[in-house]
Amino acid sequence: MDYRDTNYQSSLLDQARQRRRYLYRTSKRVFDMMMSLLGLLLLMPVFIVVALLIKLEDPRGPVFYSQTRVGVNQRPFRMFKFRSMVADADHQLNQLLQRSDVAGAMFKMKQDPRITKIGRIIRKYSVDELPQLLNVLLGQMSLVGPRPPLPREVATYTSHDLQRLTVKPGCTGLWQATVRNEVSFAEMVLLDLQYIARRSFLLDLYVLLLTIRVFVKPNGAY
């Protein structure tokens, strides 16, 4: 065996990359399971308080809201959130689509009339996202990854945009923890692809630390 052979060296490098990817995926899943379970247990008092506040404002509406999102390899799943809008928000959406404050295949509106009073507060501090820890525990999401898109958004994706769906979506990510709604959809995709190219356990920890800061000092969530 000629150890100077370039094909042999390339094969060794490929094997090393595959081992690193496998180790990263395995450690990431174990970490996701442990932290999501711990988070659900420790945050139970917060869940109870938020649920009571939602019910006090709108006794007839549900506490939780579930919505079909698109996950890794374009597989659909039901994503959970605290309800931050009026009960018939989905039926009102078509009337508001042209008023999005974010350019591209994503709807975001700063003064969305469907958002309730308590909803505006829990959105500002991203508390409405906490039930997604259940999605993480079920293996549908990861703690860190691209934002899970809606089916109607994916229907407009280019082949470039679809690269976002090659990894599990996350509760938080580079976009959510940094610029949030201050950038266009195209810039969000770029951040997601940068994360996918550079993803590692250390990068995930860094994004999680940034996210903790966002809970304390919101970065433009609405």
Side-chain angles (χ1 to χ4, degrees):
M1 178 66 71
D2 185 355
Y3 294 101
R4 293 170 298 179
D5 183 86
T6 55
N7 289 331
Y8 177 73
Q9 292 174 356
S10 177
S11 176
L12 287 178
L13 286 173
D14 287 341
Q15 291 176 25
R17 290 193 194 100
Q18 290 175 7
R19 284 194 294 269
R20 285 197 296 270
R21 291 194 193 107
Y22 175 78
L23 181 61
Y24 168 66
R25 288 196 301 268
T26 303
S27 61
K28 183 180 178 75
R29 179 57 189 146
V30 171
F31 183 76
D32 281 346
M33 290 178 65
M34 291 175 59
M35 296 307 295
S36 59
L37 182 58
L38 182 63
L40 287 168
L41 293 173
L42 293 179
L43 293 170
M44 192 56 64
V46 176
F47 275 62
I48 292 171
V49 170
V50 173
L52 288 173
L53 291 173
I54 291 172
K55 275 297 183 182
L56 283 172
E57 183 174 3
D58 182 8
R60 294 185 179 181
V63 169
F64 296 102
Y65 172 74
S66 68
Q67 187 179 51
T68 299
R69 295 292 180 114
V70 181
V72 61
N73 299 324
Q74 302 187 51
R75 289 197 295 267
F77 68 98
R78 299 295 292 182
M79 189 186 78
F80 304 108
K81 300 177 71 172
F82 280 119
R83 184 173 62 86
S84 60
M85 293 185 174
V86 294
D88 64 338
D90 288 341
H91 297 294
Q92 299 181 29
L93 178 60
N94 288 335
Q95 304 168 23
L96 302 170
L97 285 175
Q98 301 303 317
R99 297 166 60 185
S100 178
D101 292 311
V102 178
M106 181 171 62
F107 176 80
K108 286 283 183 179
M109 189 175 173
K110 289 182 180 178
Q111 300 300 324
D112 195 323
R114 301 171 300 162
I115 300 176
T116 61
K117 291 179 181 178
I118 184 61
R120 201 163 295 281
I121 296 172
I122 62 176
R123 275 174 169 250
K124 180 178 180 180
Y125 293 95
S126 300
V127 174
D128 62 318
E129 312 281 356
L130 291 179
Q132 291 171 29
L133 290 172
L134 180 58
N135 292 114
V136 176
L137 190 61
L138 294 172
Q140 299 161 330
M141 294 178 64
S142 179
L143 290 175
V144 180
R147 167 189 171 271
L150 292 159
R152 62 174 171 79
E153 295 172 347
V154 175
T156 68
Y157 274 15
T158 64
S159 57
H160 174 74
D161 302 334
L162 286 172
Q163 294 177 82
R164 300 181 66 247
L165 306 179
T166 57
V167 299
K168 281 185 184 180
C171 298
T172 187
L174 277 179
W175 170 75
Q176 299 97 313
T178 53
V179 290
R180 197 67 181 243
N181 296 318
E182 298 171 4
V183 298
S184 67
F185 172 75
E187 291 170 304
M188 183 197 75
V189 171
L190 182 60
L191 282 172
D192 285 337
L193 297 186
Q194 288 176 358
Y195 166 76
I196 291 172
R198 297 166 46 205
R199 66 191 187 277
S200 67
F201 195 69
L202 286 178
L203 179 57
D204 286 347
L205 290 177
Y206 174 69
V207 172
L208 288 172
L209 288 174
L210 288 179
T211 303
I212 293 172
R213 185 185 67 180
V214 169
F215 273 105
V216 178
K217 187 179 179 181
N219 64 347
Y222 53 83

